[in-house]
Amino acid sequence: MSAPAETEQSVTIADQHRRREEARRVGGLFVLGDAQGLAPPPSQRVVVFDTVLHIGRRGPEDSTAPSWVVKDPLVSSQHSVITKEGDGYKLTDLGSRNGTAVDGQMVKDPVKLRDGAVIFLGTQVAVFRTVTENELSAIQADIAAPLGPVATASPATALVCQVLRKLAASDCEILLTGETGVGKEVYAKAIHTLSGRTGRFVAINCAALPRELVESELYGYVKGAHSQARESKRGLFEEAEGGTLFLDEVGEMPADLQTKLLRFLQDRLLVPLGATRARRLDTRVLAATSRTTAPKGASTVGLRADLAARLGAEPIRLPPLRHRIEDVGTLAAFFLGGRQVRFEPLAFQALALYAWPGNVRELEKVVANAELLARGKEAVTLEDLPAAIAQTPGHAKGQPSGAPIRPPPPSAGELEELLQRFNGNILRVARELGRTPPLIYRWCRRFKLDPERFRPKE
């Protein structure tokens, strides 16, 4: 009797060990990009390490040690280091010339890194996270073959893409959820493309259609079905036959129409308005909603539970942009369509610290507007960004009301004193004065002050 018990115990221990190994997390820097080129090369978007990561313009003496080598003149040879401490990680600045900032605050003493901490050095921005082997594998797969138009380096988003990539090859329905502007239709199109279905991708925003038109738009009608039906009209289900119909904001549909949609999903039989015969269709349905319940006082009921259950085993939620900040640089470069646009470091950092309530859609509009405003200038500045972004904590200190009040330009003596105090660190001088580094450099040239004279020799 003892042998089976021993075998059972050994199997249990092995299973527990395997689960621990699968859940083991290591440190990772997910490179958002730099102010000069926005998006990093795909091969340089993720730097993974276990106990220590060296950061600088040159790698450590031990060439096998994990390092993030940054070709940036504003980054010191040995700039900073991240080390594992207990269950967490801490960052230490190694006396760099221009300093290191975490979440917009300059690092003086070693600082414990939260998961999702945004790290700034020189013109570079990176996000610190811990990552599992499964998450890392999903990121590498999406970078190699992006599901959407832009590859993600976000662990949470990469796992979602991994699931959607597997489901795409089937004919099953999928319900995407997430905040407004996260890109639900973009991923629905990607699923359709990957599915190999030869029919069209047809999208409809259910919230934008008047109630009396929803049924006729979806199911179509035959001639004489109503007073305006002078000719028969194909509905969207029929237009998408052999392809995919995407129902955006499906929870905004009236309850009775959700019931009719549920019946179609169950038997795939289409009966246009005024018709007596049913026709079987091969139309795949993808749906999305930004909320599953209707707001108080609304005429709709939100997404019915039975319809939600029919639209997939469980809803698949797309993360908001504030939870995938590491993708901001790559997304911004994509929205610029290949146009070479430089950002001043503080302006680029502001994009990384902003919460993006409007998500990817808001980023697209902000980047397009900033590019227009910055034409004729060397780079996009904080002044080219919306006030809500430019005044992100750690960047621009706006007043509660009225225009921001800035101190007058420093005199030659005051600027020299600041350069002396901050060892020639232009970024720290700029933060002290609430101005941008390029403006500080211009003042230095005007007063014939060379910042290098105040910097300690390496």
Side-chain angles (χ1 to χ4, degrees):
M1 296 296 291
S2 59
E6 183 177 353
T7 303
E8 182 178 348
Q9 182 184 24
S10 64
V11 170
T12 302
I13 292 173
D15 288 342
Q16 291 173 347
H17 177 71
R18 184 166 58 251
R19 284 196 294 270
R20 282 197 300 269
E21 285 298 308
E22 290 172 351
R24 181 174 175 267
R25 309 187 75 86
V26 295
L29 270 191
F30 299 83
V31 182
L32 191 148
D34 71 275
Q36 308 305 312
L38 298 183
S43 61
Q44 298 175 22
R45 292 189 67 185
V46 182
V47 182
V48 180
F49 61 101
D50 190 2
T51 58
V52 62
L53 178 71
H54 301 272
I55 303 172
R57 204 170 60 251
R58 297 194 187 97
E61 292 183 4
D62 180 3
S63 59
T64 63
S67 62
W68 180 30
V69 178
V70 183
K71 300 302 182 183
D72 185 333
L74 296 179
V75 173
S76 298
S77 297
Q78 302 299 321
H79 197 101
S80 54
V81 63
I82 299 176
T83 52
K84 189 171 186 179
E85 191 174 75
D87 294 333
Y89 289 82
K90 68 175 182 179
L91 180 144
T92 304
D93 184 84
L94 301 177
S96 62
R97 290 187 300 173
N98 292 304
T100 308
V102 175
D103 293 331
Q105 302 298 319
M106 297 302 295
V107 172
K108 296 180 180 178
D109 302 313
V111 59
K112 186 174 181 180
L113 294 174
R114 65 177 180 87
D115 195 86
V118 187
I119 300 171
F120 308 103
L121 59 155
T123 65
Q124 312 291 318
V125 182
V127 178
F128 169 81
R129 297 193 189 280
T130 58
V131 62
T132 65
E133 185 176 343
N134 187 32
E135 290 170 335
L136 182 60
S137 175
I139 292 169
Q140 292 169 338
D142 202 68
I143 290 177
L147 175 63
V150 175
T152 182
S154 156
T157 309
L159 288 178
V160 170
C161 291
Q162 185 181 65
V163 172
L164 294 179
R165 195 176 282 107
K166 292 178 180 178
L167 294 177
S170 72
D171 290 328
C172 67
E173 294 82 18
I174 299 175
L175 176 62
L176 301 174
T177 65
E179 298 174 7
T180 299
V182 295
K184 295 185 285 292
E185 184 171 345
V186 170
Y187 280 100
K189 285 182 180 177
I191 294 168
H192 168 73
T193 301
L194 196 60
S195 71
R197 295 180 68 85
T198 57
R200 294 173 54 200
F201 175 84
V202 179
I204 182 174
N205 186 341
C206 300
L209 278 178
R211 185 194 188 286
E212 59 273 13
L213 295 182
V214 174
E215 191 168 7
S216 61
E217 286 293 321
L218 287 177
Y219 301 96
Y221 51 79
V222 298
K223 183 178 179 180
H226 49 75
S227 60
Q228 302 297 319
R230 298 193 178 105
E231 299 291 340
S232 296
K233 179 181 182 297
R234 284 158 54 97
L236 295 179
F237 278 114
E238 200 169 355
E239 292 284 348
E241 186 173 15
T244 303
L245 177 62
F246 175 60
L247 302 174
D248 197 9
E249 296 301 347
V250 66
E252 303 303 314
M253 290 178 65
D256 58 329
L257 294 181
Q258 289 190 39
T259 301
K260 189 168 183 179
L261 174 60
L262 178 62
R263 286 199 299 269
F264 173 80
L265 294 175
Q266 289 170 340
D267 54 31
R268 285 299 194 279
L269 294 177
L270 175 72
V271 183
L273 294 176
T276 56
R277 279 184 168 183
R279 179 180 165 220
R280 189 173 299 279
L281 291 182
D282 174 26
T283 301
R284 185 181 192 179
V285 175
L286 305 178
T289 182
S290 57
R291 59 183 177 220
T292 55
T293 58
K296 189 175 181 180
S299 58
T300 56
V301 296
L303 185 62
R304 289 173 54 114
D306 52 358
L307 178 57
R310 190 63 184 81
L311 287 169
E314 64 176 344
I316 298 176
R317 183 170 182 81
L318 297 175
L321 185 54
R322 63 182 174 276
H323 292 164
R324 50 178 296 203
I325 288 296
E326 49 267 64
D327 290 338
V328 164
T330 306
L331 286 167
F334 172 76
F335 293 139
L336 287 168
R339 296 187 297 277
Q340 297 298 316
V341 179
R342 291 178 53 247
F343 278 69
E344 286 190 349
L346 288 180
F348 188 58
Q349 291 175 18
L351 297 183
L353 288 177
Y354 184 54
W356 298 107
N359 292 293
V360 179
R361 187 180 299 149
E362 182 183 10
L363 174 64
E364 181 178 10
K365 293 179 180 178
V366 166
V367 169
N369 195 59
E371 190 269 337
L372 289 172
L373 294 176
R375 286 182 182 177
K377 300 195 301 185
E378 292 183 359
V380 173
T381 66
L382 284 173
E383 288 74 17
D384 300 319
L385 300 176
I389 300 177
Q391 296 175 7
T392 298
H395 289 275
K397 298 179 180 178
Q399 299 299 314
S401 61
I405 299 175
R406 291 188 172 186
S411 65
E414 290 171 337
L415 184 58
E416 184 174 11
E417 182 183 341
L418 288 170
L419 289 168
Q420 185 77 39
R421 189 200 315 173
F422 293 112
N423 297 319
N425 187 319
I426 294 296
L427 182 59
R428 295 188 183 183
V429 173
R431 289 183 182 280
E432 181 73 13
L433 294 174
R435 301 301 180 96
T436 61
L439 182 57
I440 304 301
Y441 276 114
R442 287 199 291 272
W443 286 341
C444 287
R445 288 194 293 270
R446 181 190 305 169
F447 298 133
K448 295 181 172 52
L449 295 171
D450 183 6
E452 285 291 338
R453 182 163 62 87
F454 303 91
R455 292 170 179 165
K457 303 301 179 183
E458 292 189 1

